[in-house]
């Protein structure tokens, strides 16, 4: 309920010429959280508070939730639609069913030896997605309250941006889980050591995100995103080389160069991508577009996690490990390399799709992008999405 509103609130709160900086800060924080979260989780697990082992990780929600409630009440400006939209429950059910039919068989398929029902479910997800599109068109004509505003996909930059968000989410879903399995099970590292190893990545993401928005985007626009994809690919290939060269004897410090390169590339992407995707979206659909972007990223993450069973565990010979448990490290290292190859391939696709994004977001063009200030007493145009 919260995630889709974040970008909508940005649209409702900041003028166009300031959003690039805000999106850059947003991207830097997302990147920081992606790695600092596992580190904090590792610390809580290591400390074993009151003998609860890993369970205190759920308590993180309490201080964060309370702070969000208090700060949000003070600083988030109210923004309401003049006419309340109807909740599209049928659309919710259809998209949930379609995603479940696609992702569940991917997650369980290898474990269950790829049963026939799994293939049928994945094939069946396609007509369900088709039914979702048909129903959303009908809902838009009926009362203008579709779950997915399909007209947004007529904007080339938005359609391309959603495709990039989805595939980038897949990359992140695959990499972070596989990386954790590789370090903790394959290399036998503790949760804390694995978490600390990711700190250089986190720092690099934040540095690149801040630099890209302030210095690079106004001059180079879309090329910054593409440079990020290429840089991240270079980092993945360097990691692939090092994993092969050092095997199970690899040290944390040897992972720093590829992680820093990957982090710099990711920072260049996350800081600009949302800005570029939303730059040509009509303002009246900003809320729907923002919700779709965040939701698409979550869908990509879920799909990536489902694909882990294919690209990572699919490369591990269970019978071999059962006969020789000592080879677990080598097997996990090989599976990690296989996964990195897939990640590099997806990043190459992302680079090509980025050509459909605008050369420069409108608010970064000289003299453009500012909306007229609302007249006194006139409520700001709504942006929150349902």
């Amino acid at each position: 309920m919260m995630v889709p509103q974040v970008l909508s609130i940005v649209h409702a709160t900041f003028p166009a010429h300031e959003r690039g900086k805000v999106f850059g800060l947003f991207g830097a924080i997302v990147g920081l959280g992606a790695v600092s979260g596992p580190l904090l989780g590792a610390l809580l697990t290591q400390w074993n508070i009151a003998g609860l082992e890993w369970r205190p990780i759920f308590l993180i929600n309490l201080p964060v939730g309370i702070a969000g409630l208090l700060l949000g009440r003070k600083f988030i400006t109210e923004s309401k639609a003049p006419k309340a939209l109807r909740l599209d429950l049928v659309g919710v059910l259809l998209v949930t069913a379609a995603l479940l039919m696609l992702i569940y068989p991917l997650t369980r398929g290898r474990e269950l030896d790829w049963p026939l029902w799994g293939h049928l479910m994945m094939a069946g997800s396609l007509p369900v997605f088709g039914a979702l599109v048909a129903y959303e068109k009908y809902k838009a004509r009926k009362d203008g309250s579709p779950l997915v505003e399909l007209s947004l996909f007529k904007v080339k930059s938005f359609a391309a941006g959603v495709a990039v968000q989805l595939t980038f989410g897949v990359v992140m879903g695959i990499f972070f889980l596989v990386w954790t399995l590789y370090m903790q099970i394959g290399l036998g590292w503790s949760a804390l050591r694995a978490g600390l190893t990711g700190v250089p990545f986190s720092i690099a993401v934040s540095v690149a995100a801040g630099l890209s928005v302030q210095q690079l985007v106004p001059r180079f626009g879309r090329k910054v995103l593409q440079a990020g994809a290429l840089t991240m690919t270079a980092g993945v290939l360097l990691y692939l080389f090092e994993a092969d060269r050092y095997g199970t004897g690899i040290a944390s410090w040897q992972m720093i160069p590829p992680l820093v390169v990957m982090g710099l590339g990711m920072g260049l992407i996350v800081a600009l991508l949302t800005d570029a995707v939303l730059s040509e979206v009509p303002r009246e659909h900003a809320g729907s577009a923002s919700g779709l972007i965040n939701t698409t990223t979550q869908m990509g993450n879920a799909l990536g996690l489902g694909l882990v069973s294919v690209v990572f565990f699919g490369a591990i010979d269970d019978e071999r490990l059962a006969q020789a448990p000592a080879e677990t490290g080598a097997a996990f290292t090989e599976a990690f390399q296989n996964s990195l190859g897939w990640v590099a391939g997806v990043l190459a696709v992302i680079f090509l799709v980025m050509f459909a994004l605008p050369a420069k977001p409108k608010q970064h063009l000289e003299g453009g992008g500012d909306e007229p200030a609302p007249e006194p007493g006139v409520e700001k145009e709504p942006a929150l999405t349902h």
Side-chain angles (χ1 to χ4, degrees):
M1 294 174 67
M2 290 190 298
V3 168
Q5 315 305 330
V6 175
L7 300 181
S8 305
I9 292 171
V10 171
H11 257 273
T13 306
F14 296 92
H17 69 277
E18 291 184 353
R19 288 186 202 138
K21 295 179 181 179
V22 178
F23 287 142
L25 180 60
F26 173 76
I29 291 173
V30 168
L32 192 65
V35 179
S36 60
L39 174 59
L40 184 56
L43 285 171
L44 289 172
T45 303
Q46 193 97 345
W47 290 336
N48 191 19
I49 300 171
L52 294 173
E53 298 178 340
W54 51 268
R55 294 168 183 82
I57 61 173
F58 295 106
L59 298 178
I60 292 297
N61 293 329
L62 295 179
V64 173
I66 292 171
L69 189 65
L70 297 176
L71 295 174
R73 187 176 182 86
K74 183 175 181 180
F75 294 110
I76 297 177
T77 304
E78 182 64 277
S79 179
K80 293 183 178 179
K83 179 184 177 182
L85 300 178
R86 295 172 179 266
L87 183 61
D88 184 5
L89 290 176
V90 175
V92 171
L93 291 174
L94 284 172
V95 73
T96 303
L99 289 173
L100 181 65
M101 292 172 68
L102 175 63
I103 294 173
Y104 182 74
L106 282 175
T107 306
R108 298 295 308 281
R110 177 181 173 275
E111 182 182 350
L112 301 175
D113 198 23
W114 299 107
L116 176 61
W117 61 261
H119 292 87
L120 294 176
M121 278 185 71
M122 287 189 285
S125 68
L126 295 178
V128 178
F129 275 118
L132 171 67
V133 172
Y135 181 78
E136 293 305 288
K137 289 181 178 179
Y138 161 76
K139 193 77 164 59
R141 292 193 305 268
K142 180 184 177 184
D143 57 19
S145 299
L147 179 70
V148 180
E149 183 60 59
L150 296 176
S151 64
L152 289 170
F153 291 94
K154 295 178 181 179
V155 181
K156 185 179 76 168
S157 60
F158 178 80
V162 166
V164 171
Q165 288 277 12
L166 181 67
T167 47
F168 191 65
V170 169
V171 166
M172 293 298 96
I174 291 176
F175 177 76
F176 282 115
L177 177 57
V178 165
W179 184 36
T180 302
L181 293 170
Y182 162 65
M183 289 189 291
Q184 291 189 228
I185 301 178
L187 302 179
W189 293 359
S190 68
L192 182 58
R193 181 178 178 183
L196 288 171
T197 301
V199 171
F201 179 92
S202 180
I203 295 173
V205 170
S206 299
V207 170
L211 177 67
S212 65
V213 173
Q214 299 293 334
Q215 306 294 331
L216 303 178
V217 173
R219 293 184 60 189
F220 303 107
R222 177 184 65 202
K223 293 178 182 178
V224 179
L225 272 168
Q226 293 179 305
L230 292 178
T231 302
M232 199 167 179
T233 303
V236 169
L237 294 177
L238 180 58
Y239 212 153
L240 186 62
F241 167 76
E242 290 200 353
D244 180 61
R245 180 179 179 182
Y246 299 112
T248 55
I250 192 170
S252 295
W253 66 267
Q254 290 168 325
M255 294 186 183
I256 292 177
L259 287 175
V260 168
V261 176
M262 286 181 64
L264 292 173
M266 182 177 173
L268 294 177
I269 293 174
V270 296
L272 175 60
L273 185 55
T274 302
D275 198 12
V277 175
L278 293 177
S279 66
E280 296 182 352
V281 169
R283 191 166 187 272
E284 64 269 20
H285 292 316
S288 297
S290 302
L292 269 174
I293 290 172
N294 269 324
T295 304
T296 300
T297 304
Q298 302 300 320
M299 287 169 55
N301 286 334
L303 187 57
L305 291 172
L307 287 170
V308 166
S309 66
V310 179
V311 302
F312 182 75
F313 288 110
I316 296 176
D317 188 341
D318 290 334
E319 293 183 5
R320 170 189 166 193
L321 289 186
Q323 296 172 358
E327 295 187 18
T328 297
F332 271 62
T333 300
E334 292 173 9
F336 179 61
Q337 293 175 258
N338 183 67
S339 301
L340 288 181
W342 279 87
V343 167
V346 175
L347 285 170
V349 172
I350 289 174
F351 170 80
L352 295 175
V353 176
M354 284 176 177
F355 278 105
L357 295 173
K360 286 187 179 181
K362 285 183 179 179
Q363 52 265 41
H364 294 294
L365 297 177
E366 186 176 354
D370 273 332
E371 297 131 349
E375 297 178 13
V378 178
E379 190 172 357
K380 202 169 189 177
E381 192 166 343
L384 292 188
T385 178
H386 69 295

